[in-house]
Amino acid sequence: MISVREIDPADLALFDEWYDALRAGVVAGREAAIVVGREALGFSLRNPGPLKRRLAVGAFEDDRVLGAMLFEYRLTDNLDTVEVEIDVPPQHRRRGIGTALWQWAVTRSAQLGRTIFQTEIGVPSEPWPGAAFAARLGFSVEHVEDHFVVPLPYDEVRLDELRRTAGVLEGYRLTSWAGGCPPEHQQAYADLHTAMDHDVPTGGMTREVVPWTVEKLQASEQRIDRNYLALVTMAHTLSGAPAGYTLMYLPRADASHAQQDDTLVLREHRGHNLGMHLKLANLDQLAKHRTKQRYLHTWTAQSNVAMQIVNNRFGFQVVEEHRELELTYPRLRPAARAVVLDPADRVLLVRFEFDSGPLWATPGGGLEAGESLRDGLHRELQEEIGLDAPADPPHLWHQEVVAEGHATGYDGVINDIFLVRTDPFAVGGTMTTEELQAENVHGHRWWTLSELQSHKGRFAPRNLPALIEDLLRSGPPTTPTPLGL
């Protein structure tokens, strides 16, 4: 049986197993996949910054990690969005592992009140498993870049030819550095980053652009410097005004891959071949600081014709498409519930009273902020029926309902429903009768399967008798079964 849970990155053995699954899923079938380094990702997860939260989530079977998800969300801006990356090694695919990880992401995003999912996928050929999986979930491709690679060390013959054709740089001067930005350039460099964020093509992706400050720049560089050496060249006018920059990252623990990141020339300074001169100067820096890196990578929007031409002149070759995708979800209220079965296979249900009439449902209720599914299940069962939930109950069903009237202030509900086997017990939780009735709960009852099947009233889920029959006949599913209303 597959279970999904957040992992503690401070548990180094578990983190390594999770990272191995993530890496195996990323690189499968791709000749030029870029994977964030083990040390860099571990440091980021163990030392969260003030701007973004990153969670490592694993899909487990018998304590083995079979799939990995990186779940990220910003803390001060873009408060409607989350970023997800789901990676399953090829030998574990087509078992519902990716879907189980996605269900976890949907529930956690609902807890956070976020409705926009974003992800990125490298696609070297069609059809591609990751692209097909994202399409089945409902993601739309909003932006496409070409992923380029050129081998290192850089071809000196080509470099000499590029220097010759670039000509003399007139009216500007270049400043290069490795590592953190010199103090005298920090404000200009921060302003250029802001301009880059506004200028870079993003297609239809939802993005809130937040201006860079010197403080934000310093904090970002401090975190990056632990795992990457930044190589930067900035262009200035002769009077000192910033005109553009280019940025390259040299991973400290990656012997194969260097990354060409931003290149920006401000609009009023274009047409002077500045982009060529910036890149040439930074390639000189790369030659000085490179250790064993064998490839230089860059990414350029297919719509950015000018930069596509520059990349071709520098000898970059396209190896795959880099797609950015987005999916907007309704606002759903997350809840944890339980199918409670006694030794005679009777199921305990609670009765809800609504204007439309009574409804029998599994015990449980809404999650509180920051509460895990299993913690929420334990609390809800204690409050509602006085039952201790096991530490890791089988996850039976993941129900998403978009409809009016299910939860005030929401577009619908998410119910994650678990199996709890129990000896006979006296039903009675910590909530009073009045408190339960305030939540429309008006009693409980133990049901046999035949009683469920013969009952003419309403259940939630609607096909609960058939679901219970299948559960008693076949046992819990390997991964949670998706349910509708």
Side-chain angles (χ1 to χ4, degrees):
M1 178 170 293
I2 305 299
S3 63
V4 176
R5 62 180 181 270
E6 187 179 341
I7 76 160
D8 179 1
D11 183 337
L12 299 185
L14 181 58
F15 170 78
D16 281 346
E17 187 178 357
W18 175 86
Y19 180 84
D20 289 342
L22 178 121
R23 183 179 181 84
V26 171
V27 304
R30 298 169 63 197
E31 63 173 298
I34 288 286
V35 189
V36 63
R38 187 186 305 268
E39 295 82 3
L41 184 53
F43 175 81
S44 175
L45 289 165
R46 289 187 286 271
N47 300 274
L51 301 180
K52 177 183 279 191
R53 182 78 189 277
R54 310 179 90 183
L55 305 178
V57 183
F60 293 79
E61 182 181 56
D62 299 329
D63 295 325
R64 295 185 304 131
V65 180
L66 303 188
M69 176 169 64
L70 193 60
F71 182 92
E72 308 178 53
Y73 54 97
R74 301 190 67 82
L75 301 174
T76 59
D77 56 77
N78 291 277
L79 299 180
D80 290 330
T81 65
V82 296
E83 301 170 38
V84 293
E85 177 185 336
I86 296 175
D87 297 295
V88 180
Q91 68 270 27
H92 300 310
R93 292 175 183 170
R94 298 187 179 278
R95 297 180 54 191
I97 293 169
T99 299
L101 288 164
W102 170 249
Q103 291 169 347
W104 187 99
V106 169
T107 298
R108 177 55 66 89
S109 298
Q111 281 184 273
L112 295 168
R114 302 190 181 214
T115 57
I116 300 173
F117 294 89
Q118 298 178 334
T119 192
E120 301 178 354
I121 300 174
V123 181
S125 61
E126 293 285 10
W128 189 248
F133 176 66
R136 287 195 300 271
L137 296 178
F139 278 90
S140 297
V141 178
E142 298 293 345
H143 182 57
V144 181
E145 297 179 335
D146 284 329
H147 177 180
F148 292 89
V149 173
V150 68
L152 296 175
Y154 196 84
D155 183 349
E156 286 294 334
V157 174
R158 180 185 288 270
L159 200 56
D160 288 341
E161 176 63 16
L162 288 169
R163 290 193 184 103
R164 185 185 64 80
T165 58
V168 177
L169 181 62
E170 297 181 349
Y172 298 91
R173 57 184 174 84
L174 303 180
T175 303
S176 297
W177 65 84
C181 179
E184 63 270 23
H185 298 304
Q186 286 179 343
Q187 185 61 62
Y189 191 37
D191 292 342
L192 286 171
H193 272 290
T194 299
M196 180 69 189
D197 286 347
H198 281 285
D199 189 77
V200 64
T202 58
M205 297 293 286
T206 302
R207 295 273 164 78
E208 176 189 353
V209 176
V210 179
W212 284 71
T213 63
V214 169
E215 293 74 22
K216 179 180 176 179
L217 176 69
Q218 291 171 336
S220 175
E221 289 189 328
Q222 183 177 5
R223 288 184 64 81
I224 289 171
D225 189 65
R226 179 182 175 90
N227 296 295
Y228 300 88
L229 177 64
L231 306 177
V232 182
T233 297
M234 183 189 294
H236 307 262
T237 64
L238 298 182
S239 63
Y245 76 103
T246 190
L247 166 64
M248 194 181 295
Y249 287 121
L250 202 57
R252 300 187 186 279
D254 188 335
S256 296
H257 306 287
Q259 301 174 39
Q260 170 66 60
D261 203 65
D262 299 347
T263 298
L264 171 73
V265 176
L266 296 177
R267 293 185 183 276
E268 60 268 30
H269 298 287
R270 293 174 185 173
H272 301 276
N273 221 12
L274 262 182
M276 286 284 291
H277 284 280
L278 285 167
K279 284 180 174 289
L280 286 168
N282 231 26
L283 283 173
D284 289 340
Q285 285 219 94
L286 178 63
K288 294 177 184 177
H289 294 282
R290 171 182 168 268
T291 53
K292 299 179 180 179
Q293 285 78 18
R294 297 184 293 122
Y295 303 102
L296 177 61
H297 299 252
T298 194
W299 296 261
T300 300
Q302 292 181 343
S303 60
N304 190 345
V305 177
M307 193 55 67
Q308 289 271 350
I309 293 172
V310 171
N311 285 334
N312 289 330
R313 292 178 66 184
F314 275 87
F316 283 93
Q317 298 293 318
V318 177
V319 292
E320 63 183 16
E321 282 189 353
H322 176 83
R323 299 179 184 175
E324 296 183 65
L325 302 91
E326 188 167 292
L327 169 62
T328 299
Y329 241 65
R331 190 163 181 265
L332 304 177
R333 176 180 180 264
R337 298 187 173 278
V339 172
V340 178
L341 293 176
D342 72 3
D345 285 340
R346 295 185 307 162
V347 60
L348 179 65
L349 301 180
V350 294
R351 188 179 83 251
F352 287 85
E353 293 286 352
F354 300 110
D355 292 341
S356 57
L359 174 75
W360 291 94
T362 53
L367 300 178
E368 296 180 353
E371 191 173 47
S372 72
L373 274 171
R374 285 162 177 79
D375 287 345
L377 180 68
H378 181 83
R379 176 185 52 76
E380 283 288 336
L381 294 187
Q382 276 287 320
E383 291 176 352
E384 201 166 86
I385 60 174
L387 178 65
D388 284 326
D392 194 21
H395 193 170
L396 298 178
W397 311 317
H398 175 87
Q399 182 189 36
E400 297 181 20
V401 177
V402 179
E404 294 183 2
H406 284 269
T408 302
Y410 294 85
D411 301 314
V413 294
I414 299 172
N415 290 312
D416 284 285
I417 305 171
F418 298 82
L419 174 61
V420 175
R421 285 279 189 179
T422 179
D423 292 328
F425 71 102
V427 178
T430 59
M431 295 179 71
T432 65
T433 299
E434 291 75 17
E435 288 172 330
L436 289 170
Q437 289 180 354
E439 297 187 2
N440 300 310
V441 177
H442 291 258
H444 63 273
R445 174 185 165 184
W446 290 96
W447 298 70
T448 66
L449 177 59
S450 61
E451 289 171 337
L452 289 174
Q453 292 171 328
S454 63
H455 185 66
K456 302 303 182 183
R458 295 186 302 158
F459 295 106
R462 286 179 177 175
N463 62 337
L464 183 62
L467 291 169
I468 297 296
E469 180 183 18
D470 182 68
L471 172 64
L472 296 178
R473 180 180 62 250
S474 304
T478 302
T479 57
T481 301
L483 302 179
L485 185 58

